Amino acid sequence: LDYALFRRFNELLEFDLPTRELIVETLKTKLASCECVKVDFEKLADAAQGLSFAEITQACDEAIKETIINNRKCVTTADVLGPVLDRATFHRRFVQQRNDRPD
Protein backbone atom coordinates (compact mmCIF):
# COMPACT_ATOMS: atom_id res chain seq x y z
CA LEU A 1 0.00 0.00 0.00
CA ASP A 2 1.24 3.47 -0.71
CA TYR A 3 1.63 6.21 1.88
CA ALA A 4 -1.50 8.11 0.76
CA LEU A 5 -3.63 5.08 1.52
CA PHE A 6 -1.97 4.55 4.91
CA ARG A 7 -2.94 8.11 5.91
CA ARG A 8 -6.62 7.14 5.64
CA PHE A 9 -6.33 4.64 8.48
CA ASN A 10 -6.23 5.66 12.13
CA GLU A 11 -4.27 2.62 13.18
CA LEU A 12 -2.15 0.03 11.51
CA LEU A 13 -2.09 -3.48 12.85
CA GLU A 14 0.80 -5.77 12.15
CA PHE A 15 0.42 -9.52 12.28
CA ASP A 16 3.36 -11.87 12.50
CA LEU A 17 3.50 -14.80 10.14
CA PRO A 18 2.17 -17.99 11.67
CA THR A 19 4.51 -20.40 13.38
CA ARG A 20 4.71 -23.99 12.19
CA GLU A 21 2.27 -25.03 14.92
CA LEU A 22 -0.21 -22.32 13.93
CA ILE A 23 0.07 -23.33 10.28
CA VAL A 24 -0.91 -26.90 11.20
CA GLU A 25 -3.77 -25.63 13.37
CA THR A 26 -5.01 -23.36 10.57
CA LEU A 27 -4.89 -26.19 8.04
CA LYS A 28 -6.80 -28.52 10.36
CA THR A 29 -9.42 -25.87 11.11
CA LYS A 30 -9.98 -24.97 7.46
CA LEU A 31 -10.21 -28.60 6.33
CA ALA A 32 -12.39 -29.73 9.25
CA SER A 33 -15.58 -29.16 7.27
CA CYS A 34 -14.55 -31.79 4.71
CA GLU A 35 -15.99 -35.28 4.88
CA CYS A 36 -12.65 -36.95 4.31
CA VAL A 37 -9.17 -35.49 4.77
CA LYS A 38 -6.06 -37.49 3.89
CA VAL A 39 -3.43 -34.87 4.46
CA ASP A 40 0.14 -34.84 5.75
CA PHE A 41 -0.13 -31.69 7.85
CA GLU A 42 3.59 -31.65 8.65
CA LYS A 43 4.54 -31.67 4.95
CA LEU A 44 2.08 -28.88 4.23
CA ALA A 45 3.36 -26.85 7.18
CA ASP A 46 6.89 -27.09 5.80
CA ALA A 47 5.71 -25.91 2.38
CA ALA A 48 3.64 -23.06 3.87
CA GLN A 49 6.46 -21.49 5.89
CA GLY A 50 6.54 -17.76 5.16
CA LEU A 51 2.89 -17.55 4.08
CA SER A 52 0.28 -15.53 5.92
CA PHE A 53 -2.85 -16.91 7.54
CA ALA A 54 -4.87 -15.49 4.61
CA GLU A 55 -2.70 -17.22 2.01
CA ILE A 56 -2.95 -20.55 3.82
CA THR A 57 -6.72 -20.16 4.13
CA GLN A 58 -7.04 -19.34 0.41
CA ALA A 59 -4.97 -22.40 -0.49
CA CYS A 60 -7.29 -24.61 1.59
CA ASP A 61 -10.39 -23.05 0.03
CA GLU A 62 -8.99 -23.67 -3.44
CA ALA A 63 -8.20 -27.30 -2.60
CA ILE A 64 -11.72 -27.86 -1.24
CA LYS A 65 -13.28 -26.32 -4.36
CA GLU A 66 -11.16 -28.48 -6.67
CA THR A 67 -12.13 -31.58 -4.71
CA ILE A 68 -15.83 -30.74 -5.06
CA ILE A 69 -15.56 -29.76 -8.75
CA ASN A 70 -13.80 -33.04 -9.52
CA ASN A 71 -16.46 -34.98 -7.61
CA ARG A 72 -14.02 -36.50 -5.13
CA LYS A 73 -14.79 -37.19 -1.49
CA CYS A 74 -11.31 -36.73 0.05
CA VAL A 75 -9.04 -33.74 0.17
CA THR A 76 -5.46 -34.97 -0.15
CA THR A 77 -2.03 -33.55 0.53
CA ALA A 78 -1.54 -32.97 -3.20
CA ASP A 79 -4.79 -30.99 -3.40
CA VAL A 80 -3.55 -28.51 -0.81
CA LEU A 81 0.13 -28.62 -1.70
CA GLY A 82 -0.40 -27.25 -5.22
CA PRO A 83 -2.08 -24.01 -4.11
CA VAL A 84 0.36 -23.62 -1.20
CA LEU A 85 3.35 -23.94 -3.52
CA ASP A 86 1.77 -21.52 -6.02
CA ARG A 87 1.46 -18.90 -3.29
CA ALA A 88 4.95 -19.58 -1.97
CA THR A 89 6.40 -19.15 -5.47
CA PHE A 90 4.53 -15.89 -5.96
CA HIS A 91 5.68 -14.70 -2.54
CA ARG A 92 9.36 -15.47 -3.31
CA ARG A 93 9.13 -13.64 -6.66
CA PHE A 94 7.50 -10.61 -5.02
CA VAL A 95 10.19 -10.43 -2.34
CA GLN A 96 12.94 -10.84 -4.97
CA GLN A 97 11.48 -8.01 -7.08
CA ARG A 98 11.35 -5.74 -4.04
CA ASN A 99 14.97 -6.56 -3.21
CA ASP A 100 16.07 -5.94 -6.82
CA ARG A 101 14.65 -2.40 -6.91
CA PRO A 102 17.21 0.39 -6.75
CA ASP A 103 16.89 2.62 -3.70
Side-chain angles (χ1 to χ4, degrees):
L1 300 175
D2 67 2
Y3 184 72
L5 187 56
F6 278 122
R7 289 191 312 236
R8 300 190 193 305
F9 294 95
N10 292 332
E11 294 181 35
L12 294 176
L13 301 175
E14 288 188 38
F15 293 93
D16 292 328
L17 294 175
T19 62
R20 193 170 197 287
E21 293 78 22
L22 287 174
I23 291 171
V24 170
E25 188 176 323
T26 302
L27 290 165
K28 287 180 178 180
T29 300
K30 284 304 296 178
L31 298 174
S33 64
C34 298
E35 231 177 89
C36 175
V37 177
K38 293 183 179 179
V39 169
D40 181 345
F41 290 105
E42 299 303 320
K43 182 176 183 175
L44 292 174
D46 289 340
Q49 288 291 319
L51 298 181
S52 69
F53 286 106
E55 291 167 319
I56 295 165
T57 297
Q58 289 171 342
C60 289
D61 289 343
E62 187 176 324
I64 292 166
K65 286 177 191 175
E66 284 298 314
T67 301
I68 292 168
I69 288 169
N70 292 307
N71 201 27
R72 291 184 284 118
K73 294 193 185 285
C74 280
V75 176
T76 65
T77 301
D79 294 327
V80 184
L81 189 59
V84 165
L85 292 176
D86 289 346
R87 283 161 178 76
T89 299
F90 173 79
H91 188 57
R92 280 193 302 274
R93 286 182 185 158
F94 178 75
V95 169
Q96 184 63 39
Q97 287 174 351
R98 285 182 60 199
N99 291 339
D100 289 345
R101 274 193 250 156
D103 290 333

